[in-house]
Amino acid sequence: MFGLQSIEGIEAVAASLRTLKLGGTRKPIKDLQRLTACSHLETVVLERHTTAVKALPARTIRSLTLCYQVRSDLRSLSRFGQLRKLAFFHGGVQSLAGLLDLRLDSLELDGLGTPPRLDEISNATALRQLVLWRLPRVAQLPDLSKLKRLVS
């Protein structure tokens, strides 16, 4: 659906929609505010569509995957009170500031060209899963000794 220009019609399934995967498109989709009608969304994968995050219903999202997006930090995600899984693929986050405000069980950083300093992870004691994958510029792992809940 690389040519998708509008998500008009999503209202027809908005009340029952639990998972949304919105791939990259040739041009930005202009009517992403329609996502606010998706009041039961739990799992969201967004490829590019950086403005869509603002339109997501904050109280129900439990899993958020952001692909080919760059964020300055995680503070803007703190409104997602139920968020438990966060993943970044081939984009990135410049700082993990705000990580501790998210009560994440799972954090995945994959293929980030310039990854953030990972020190903040040391204090994210609620994490049960941590995936650091394809991070060529990371020279040292953070201290993981406080992460007692991590499972392999």
Side-chain angles (χ1 to χ4, degrees):
M1 297 197 328
F2 195 64
L4 186 68
Q5 296 179 16
S6 171
I7 58 171
E8 184 178 0
I10 200 166
E11 291 90 353
V13 295
S16 61
L17 197 61
R18 301 271 193 265
T19 300
L20 174 69
K21 295 181 180 183
L22 190 56
T25 55
R26 191 173 296 119
K27 295 179 182 177
I29 296 174
K30 296 182 186 338
D31 58 352
L32 290 172
Q33 282 304 117
R34 294 175 188 271
L35 294 176
T36 58
C38 301
S39 58
H40 291 93
L41 270 179
E42 296 176 0
T43 302
V44 177
V45 177
L46 297 172
E47 185 177 316
R48 293 184 169 86
H49 306 295
T50 55
T51 59
V53 173
K54 293 176 186 172
L56 294 174
R59 61 183 172 79
T60 59
I61 305 294
R62 298 186 56 78
S63 176
L64 180 61
T65 301
L66 302 174
C67 307
Y68 299 101
Q69 293 190 23
V70 175
R71 300 212 164 271
S72 58
D73 59 43
L74 302 178
R75 290 183 202 135
S76 65
L77 302 179
S78 65
R79 69 186 191 90
F80 295 99
Q82 298 301 314
L83 188 63
R84 296 298 174 261
K85 180 179 181 183
L86 177 62
F88 283 95
F89 292 101
H90 304 289
V93 59
Q94 297 168 350
S95 164
L96 291 178
L99 176 64
L100 299 182
D101 296 333
L102 303 171
R103 296 182 312 267
L104 296 177
D105 293 328
S106 176
L107 175 64
E108 187 167 350
L109 305 176
D110 182 350
L112 310 186
T114 305
R117 288 179 44 103
L118 301 177
D119 301 344
E120 195 74 28
I121 292 172
S122 299
N123 296 311
T125 57
L127 284 177
R128 294 178 52 80
Q129 180 182 33
L130 175 63
V131 177
L132 303 174
W133 183 251
R134 292 182 290 194
L135 303 174
R137 296 190 181 150
V138 171
Q140 182 177 348
L141 289 175
D143 176 11
L144 302 176
S145 63
K146 294 180 192 175
L147 306 183
K148 306 292 185 199
R149 297 184 60 189
L150 277 182
V151 293
S152 56

